[in-house]
Amino acid sequence: MATATTTAVEAVSAEVRDDGSRGKNEARRLRRDGRIPAVLYGAQKPSVAIAVDPKQITRILHSETGHNTIFDLEAGGERTKAMIVDWQYDPVKGALLHVDVKRISFDERIKVKVPILLVGEAPGVKQQSGILEQVLREVEIECLPQDIPSHLDVDVSDLWSGKVIRVADLPHAAKLRFLTDANQTVAHIAHIKEEEVAAPVEVAAEAAVPAEPEVIKKGKQETEEAEGAEGKPEKPEKGEKKEKK
């Protein structure tokens, strides 16, 4: 079943940036001052360039509900419910560089991705020596903001070898609509195929067959050459004349 829906956390205070201060130099200055650039948009309102505290954003991303967390955002006199929809990290240092934040309206359905968690013990692993393989780790859904689950729990206690759990099998309430292909595989039991190895008896038999001795081959060749030479008439040496009868 789906877990409890997301709840609001601490309010995030944002600073509105000037329209002209969106270059790389401005981004570096913000990061030196302990802020990062961000963009606020949605709810049929114009987008606004803002600056936020990366520590607050990181706490939200690392929370139980993650990027699906709904929080209060204050920016330039505007207070709105918001959610993180995109973020960027420095590939070397791992520091948060930029985020996109979307205004949330509780009467409008939104599209989000939620993680899938496997629970229980699969008999295909314990009794059939298989490996539980999770192919799909998150699923895209559409629902109202207040109905977003933090994750979906999938029971694998009846998962045997040859059986497959698909998106259509995921437990969910009617208020959630799956956007991911219903036939896509979520989890199944896999088995490692063992490589075929030649039987030791066959290998030993092949090794026991002796090769024809080189001496015999050579003697046979010399015998054939000698027999061929006897059948041919000797040619007279140069300078010798045939004896007249």
Side-chain angles (χ1 to χ4, degrees):
M1 297 294 292
T3 61
T5 56
T6 58
T7 56
V9 295
E10 61 177 308
V12 174
S13 178
E15 172 190 346
V16 177
R17 295 184 289 148
D18 296 333
D19 292 337
S21 59
R22 299 192 184 189
K24 293 183 178 179
N25 293 333
E26 174 63 14
R28 293 192 188 98
R29 185 192 66 79
L30 285 174
R31 295 185 187 110
R32 284 196 303 267
D33 295 340
R35 313 280 277 181
I36 59 171
V39 175
L40 173 65
Y41 66 94
Q44 299 180 351
K45 295 182 179 180
S47 61
V48 180
I50 58 177
V52 294
D53 183 352
K55 294 180 180 179
Q56 285 186 303
I57 301 300
T58 299
R59 281 196 294 269
I60 292 173
L61 291 175
H62 291 173
S63 66
E64 181 183 358
T65 50
H67 63 276
N68 288 334
T69 302
I70 299 174
F71 57 92
D72 291 320
L73 178 69
E74 298 177 354
E78 177 187 1
R79 186 180 179 92
T80 182
K81 297 291 185 181
M83 189 167 63
I84 300 170
V85 294
D86 194 17
W87 59 97
Q88 180 183 359
Y89 283 104
D90 186 308
V92 177
K93 299 180 180 179
L96 195 61
L97 298 179
H98 184 277
V99 292
D100 287 347
V101 184
K102 183 177 181 179
R103 300 181 183 92
I104 297 300
S105 175
F106 283 94
D107 58 357
E108 293 182 6
R109 297 173 68 88
I110 60 174
K111 300 176 183 179
V112 294
K113 291 182 179 180
V114 296
I116 300 172
L117 298 183
L118 304 183
V119 297
E121 187 174 11
V125 174
K126 185 176 181 180
Q127 301 180 35
Q128 297 177 313
S129 301
I131 299 174
L132 178 59
E133 182 177 4
Q134 184 173 358
V135 180
L136 190 67
R137 298 190 176 276
E138 63 179 11
V139 63
E140 187 175 16
I141 65 172
E142 183 183 67
C143 63
L144 293 173
Q146 61 270 27
D147 295 329
I148 301 174
S150 59
H151 59 270
L152 296 178
D153 291 336
V154 181
D155 187 7
V156 297
S157 58
D158 193 33
L159 185 59
W160 295 83
S161 179
K163 187 176 180 180
V164 178
I165 297 177
R166 305 185 186 278
V167 171
D169 302 321
L170 296 178
H172 65 284
K175 52 192 176 184
L176 303 182
R177 185 169 75 90
F178 288 124
L179 301 179
T180 304
D181 185 359
N183 292 320
Q184 190 165 344
T185 299
V186 174
H188 66 104
I189 301 297
H191 292 273
I192 299 176
K193 295 182 179 180
E194 297 182 359
E195 296 182 0
E196 295 183 1
V197 181
V201 178
E202 296 179 359
V203 175
E206 292 178 1
V209 177
E212 187 177 356
E214 194 66 27
V215 177
I216 296 176
K217 289 183 178 180
K218 185 175 182 182
K220 184 178 179 182
Q221 183 177 357
E222 290 176 350
T223 303
E224 291 176 352
E225 290 177 355
E227 291 176 353
E230 290 178 359
K232 294 181 181 180
E234 294 183 2
K235 293 183 180 180
E237 295 181 4
K238 292 183 179 181
E240 293 183 359
K241 295 181 180 180
K242 292 182 180 180
E243 185 179 352
K244 294 181 180 180
K245 294 182 180 179

